Amino acid sequence: MNIDIITIFPEIIEHLFNYSIIKNAKDKKIITVNIHNLRDYATNKYRQVDDYQYGGEAGMVIMIEPVDRCLTALKEKNNYDEIIYMSPDGDLLTQKMANSLSLLNNIIIICGHYKGIDQRIRDHLITKEISIGEYVLTGGELPAAVLCDSIIRLIPSVLNDETSALTDSFQDNLLSTPVYTRPANYKGFKVPDILLSGDTKKIKEWNINKALEKTKLKRPDLYKKYYENNK
């Protein structure tokens, strides 16, 4: 997969892709992540990419021209499956959406800043808007990193144990089961005996039951959805 990220603050996001699983995926050439400074596509010597709002409201707005210039340059080199804008009023990022996006080959992610981007970019240049939650951040860089992480870890060969992603929370509308590691007894806090039994069938049943209990307690909405999908 190839991911191109457009931002006016590349330094915020660059180092986030140089650690852990994402770095390994880059080193294995499973993914490429290219970060583009929008100011490189400005048309004046001040590298200006934002301006005051029409109508007199407060807050600067990212202009359409540098965004269009950047997108045009990128599309001359690749065919893109999605051009995504990170926005608090976009479609809420879910595991199902991450699963779907992980199957694509080329995507562009646009990070907004200040008051946002010119509405004409949203109307004519992008294909999808995504939100990571119903709150506002200073810019789209951190949401873009969250989106990338949720996608990249699902790509085959990125995780050492590919079955690990299949048991994550939300994959089947269930929260993940409790997990434990050594020591089996720490200050009297013990790991459930069933997990030490070696009985694969019973452990699997225990995991399913615990996931159901946890989901029913913490996310009854997901619990209801799980049963509706498994009638």
Side-chain angles (χ1 to χ4, degrees):
M1 170 180 274
N2 175 66
I3 302 173
D4 288 280
I5 301 173
I6 302 172
T7 171
I8 58 173
F9 293 110
E11 61 275 10
I12 293 178
I13 198 169
E14 282 173 343
H15 73 283
L16 297 175
F17 293 94
N18 291 320
Y19 297 94
S20 189
I21 290 170
I22 295 181
K23 182 180 185 300
N24 292 338
K26 288 171 60 182
D27 291 344
K28 293 178 184 177
K29 302 189 184 305
I30 299 170
I31 63 160
T32 57
V33 179
N34 305 297
I35 300 173
H36 307 274
N37 190 336
L38 184 62
R39 296 188 188 279
D40 292 340
Y41 297 88
T43 58
N44 62 36
K45 64 180 181 180
Y46 302 107
R47 306 181 78 204
Q48 181 182 358
V49 296
D50 61 304
D51 210 336
Y52 294 102
Q53 293 188 61
Y54 281 124
E57 297 295 325
M60 303 294 282
V61 176
I62 291 178
M63 298 183 291
I64 186 172
E65 186 174 8
V67 174
D68 185 41
R69 285 163 59 91
C70 183
L71 290 176
T72 298
L74 292 178
K75 287 190 284 187
E76 288 176 353
K77 300 177 182 178
N78 273 316
N79 293 318
Y80 288 92
D81 303 297
E82 294 281 8
I83 300 175
I84 299 166
Y85 172 55
M86 304 305 300
S87 169
D89 55 2
D91 295 328
L92 186 64
L93 176 62
T94 63
Q95 190 62 47
K96 182 178 180 181
M97 185 189 295
N99 290 343
S100 178
L101 291 173
S102 73
L103 301 175
L104 304 181
N105 293 317
N106 297 294
I107 64 173
I108 294 173
I109 303 173
I110 300 173
C111 304
H113 221 80
Y114 309 124
K115 193 64 176 178
I117 62 176
D118 190 301
Q119 182 64 36
R120 290 169 292 183
I121 300 170
R122 303 174 73 169
D123 291 341
H124 304 291
L125 302 183
I126 67 168
T127 62
K128 193 174 191 65
E129 298 187 12
I130 296 178
S131 167
I132 63 166
E134 295 179 348
Y135 48 87
V136 177
L137 298 174
T138 304
E141 287 76 20
L142 294 179
V146 168
L147 175 63
C148 289
D149 191 282
S150 72
I151 295 171
I152 292 169
R153 64 190 307 280
L154 297 171
I155 298 172
S157 300
V158 169
L159 296 181
N160 290 330
D161 181 357
E162 293 177 13
T163 62
S164 175
L166 300 178
T167 58
D168 288 338
S169 290
F170 308 112
Q171 280 290 8
D172 297 310
N173 290 317
L174 290 177
L175 300 182
S176 62
T177 188
V179 294
Y180 302 85
T181 189
R182 298 176 182 176
N185 186 338
Y186 181 72
K187 295 183 178 180
F189 305 139
K190 297 181 179 180
V191 172
D193 291 337
I194 185 64
L195 298 180
L196 308 176
S197 69
D199 190 325
T200 305
K201 182 179 179 181
K202 288 185 178 180
I203 290 173
K204 186 174 182 179
E205 291 174 354
W206 183 89
N207 282 331
I208 292 172
N209 288 333
K210 285 298 179 181
L212 286 167
E213 290 176 11
K214 184 178 178 181
T215 306
K216 185 176 182 180
L217 177 65
K218 294 189 172 185
R219 290 291 303 272
D221 56 321
L222 288 179
Y223 183 78
K224 180 180 178 182
K225 187 181 293 185
Y226 172 82
Y227 271 103
E228 287 175 349
N229 292 340
N230 289 277
K231 287 181 178 178

